[in-house]
Amino acid sequence: MTDAQPSTPSLPERSGTPWPPVAVPGQPSGAAAPPAEEDRDDTASPMPLPEGAQILDDLRAQLTRYVAMPSEEAVTAVALWIAATHLQRAWQHAPRLAIVAPEKRCGKSRLLDVVTETVHNRLITVNASAAAIFRSIDGDDPPTLLVDEADTMFSTTKAAEKNEEVRGLINAGHQRGRPTLRVSGPEHQVQEFPTFSMAALAGIGDLPDTIMDRAVVIRMRRRAAGEKVASFRTGRDTPALNAIRDRLHAWLQPLYVPAMEMEPPMPVEDRAADTWEPLVIIADLAGGDWPALARTACRTMADYEAGQDEEGGLRTRLLVGIRRAFAAVSDPAVLSTKQLLESLNADKEAPWAEYGANGLTPRGLQLLLKPYGIGSANRRFPDGTQAKGFARNQFLDTWARYCPEPKPVDVPAQRAAEPLPGTAA
């Protein structure tokens, strides 16, 4: 006769009952440990996205529905910039959004339409005066300034001179604590007006360098034959965009204090880091894929704009050309002005031909190098002759600061005994 079995069933060796989820730094607090292999159900629904990530995903879907964006990084950047407008009080810097295109019909105005309906406290203008703009900025709850056809303000010398005060206002508003001063009232009292406000500017061609340097730049392009987008109708489509705007505001407003205290690791430095930091903070608050997407967009787009500046900036291009001229003759200690100009003017793709019938002149070269404190002098050359020229060591510090040589990519060494991939042994 066998003994009676206990009435309480024993637990199996590996219980399927999971432990309660534990919060992990850097992960949503509701994330639980993955289930054991035997408990996995292929038909089980995936873990829901964090609230912020879901809202940003919905915003990204609306952007790509109505606008043929130039890249996935651009979609990420615009979505994060829109979200960042809902926490302007938390930021030290107010990034600009420069929506530029080489020609008409590239979608910049349509993108600005979507931005307009989803940002916080929009302030739309086409040709406002600086006085009207800074009198519309509330220091406690800054608006989001939206400027269409911004190219008309700066496209000609006359227009740029007329709107110099607006440009200065846009530049000053990039950083907190840069008010403009005006004398007002019958007693002529000096009054401070805040300038801090996020701003989006759309136009044909690049905006002034000082604005582009403070901006997340979206370079639009005309749609190809296979790229289709939905038509945008204000009465029909704005309610859905406004609903996303309201969801962004409700999600982000309670996060003001943690957002203000965050100092996220950034993939860029200096002005680019100041500009992109609010977007990266928004991505870190959202969770999901957004932290990685934000840093990829930041690095890719900032590197591209740095390359644009290196190729298009006249003085930077001159410095690169001078470095090549020295390198072409084995980096001598001195180089005559005549030989240097011959090397520079021989580059048919360089802009020096615009300086006259014979290209860049000694006087033109001196004027371009003057801001760096570099000038020619009488030099003695190895053959005993003397002539006007430049010493190579005059440029070393300037090259390192303004156009450093690209760092070589570290490639693991391959043993000679092993055949290269794709080759016969």
Side-chain angles (χ1 to χ4, degrees):
M1 182 175 180
T2 59
D3 295 335
Q5 298 296 319
S7 59
T8 303
S10 60
L11 291 174
E13 290 183 5
R14 297 182 63 184
S15 171
T17 304
W19 289 95
V22 178
V24 178
Q27 297 182 6
S29 60
E37 190 68 34
E38 64 270 18
D39 295 330
R40 287 181 179 168
D41 183 357
D42 293 338
T43 63
S45 60
M47 291 292 293
L49 286 174
E51 178 187 15
Q54 183 61 65
I55 298 172
L56 291 177
D57 283 353
D58 294 344
L59 175 57
R60 179 166 52 189
Q62 291 292 323
L63 286 167
T64 55
R65 179 184 180 188
Y66 298 112
V67 186
M69 298 294 290
S71 66
E72 287 297 323
E73 290 80 10
V75 181
T76 297
V78 174
L80 292 171
W81 188 90
I82 290 171
T85 67
H86 292 267
L87 271 184
Q88 291 192 56
R89 295 183 304 121
W91 312 136
Q92 178 64 28
H93 294 86
R96 279 69 187 99
L97 185 70
I99 306 170
V100 298
E103 298 180 14
K104 296 181 291 185
R105 294 170 48 214
C106 289
K108 57 182 179 54
S109 294
R110 177 64 66 241
L111 176 56
L112 195 62
D113 288 337
V114 178
V115 169
T116 298
E117 300 300 335
T118 48
V119 296
H120 171 66
N121 192 16
R122 67 190 187 187
L123 177 61
I124 309 171
T125 180
V126 174
N127 189 21
S129 67
I133 293 173
F134 67 67
R135 282 179 167 84
S136 301
I137 295 176
D138 182 352
D140 295 328
D141 185 19
T144 304
L145 180 63
L146 305 170
V147 184
D148 199 2
E149 300 182 12
D151 53 299
T152 61
M153 302 169 65
F154 310 108
S155 57
T156 65
T157 302
K158 185 176 181 179
E161 290 176 353
K162 179 183 176 182
N163 292 290
E164 178 63 22
E165 192 175 7
V166 175
R167 185 184 67 84
L169 175 65
I170 293 173
N171 291 341
H174 178 259
Q175 185 171 347
R176 188 177 294 282
R178 299 291 186 272
T180 186
L181 302 179
R182 291 293 183 273
V183 175
S184 60
E187 298 180 359
H188 302 287
Q189 296 291 325
V190 176
Q191 184 177 356
E192 289 188 357
F193 291 91
T195 62
F196 184 80
S197 174
M198 291 180 65
L201 302 94
I204 296 174
D206 281 6
L207 300 171
D209 289 345
T210 53
I211 295 177
M212 298 288 277
D213 192 41
R214 294 166 168 83
V216 174
V217 181
I218 309 299
R219 296 188 176 275
M220 301 298 291
R221 58 189 183 184
R222 191 168 291 180
R223 279 193 292 126
E227 293 179 306
K228 304 295 181 183
V229 294
S231 59
F232 183 83
R233 298 291 180 266
T234 302
R236 179 193 66 197
D237 299 324
T238 55
L241 296 176
N242 293 163
I244 292 179
R245 176 198 63 198
D246 296 341
R247 291 168 62 198
L248 283 169
H249 195 74
W251 163 51
L252 289 168
Q253 283 304 294
L255 301 177
Y256 164 70
V257 172
M260 185 173 58
E261 295 175 347
M262 290 175 68
E263 295 184 20
M266 298 292 296
V268 293
E269 298 178 339
D270 302 326
R271 180 64 61 73
D274 294 339
T275 297
W276 278 87
E277 185 181 68
L279 280 65
V280 172
I281 290 176
I282 291 291
D284 287 351
L285 291 171
D289 295 334
W290 283 91
L293 291 172
R295 286 170 173 83
T296 298
C298 173
R299 184 184 304 105
T300 302
M301 296 173 68
D303 285 351
Y304 180 82
E305 293 306 317
Q308 291 292 105
D309 180 67
E310 180 175 328
E311 294 175 5
L314 193 63
R315 287 191 173 89
T316 304
R317 185 159 188 169
L318 176 64
L319 293 174
V320 173
I322 292 173
R323 182 167 59 196
R324 290 172 180 165
F326 272 93
V329 288
S330 303
D331 288 325
V334 292
L335 198 62
S336 70
T337 301
K338 180 176 181 293
Q339 189 175 358
L340 180 57
L341 287 172
E342 287 176 352
S343 177
L344 291 171
N345 289 322
D347 184 356
K348 301 304 180 184
E349 295 183 359
W352 316 128
E354 301 173 7
Y355 274 70
N358 298 318
L360 191 61
T361 64
R363 174 66 175 163
L365 180 62
Q366 286 280 86
L367 291 175
L368 287 172
L369 292 175
K370 185 177 179 180
Y372 304 113
I374 298 174
S376 64
N378 288 321
R379 307 285 179 182
R380 182 177 297 277
F381 293 86
D383 61 359
T385 61
Q386 291 188 15
K388 288 283 188 181
F390 295 85
R392 185 174 181 274
N393 61 14
Q394 287 180 274
F395 296 95
L396 296 180
D397 182 69
T398 304
W399 285 336
R401 293 177 186 274
Y402 296 97
C403 53
E405 289 275 19
K407 294 180 180 179
V409 179
D410 292 333
V411 179
Q414 192 168 16
R415 290 180 295 178
E418 297 178 358
L420 295 174
T423 61

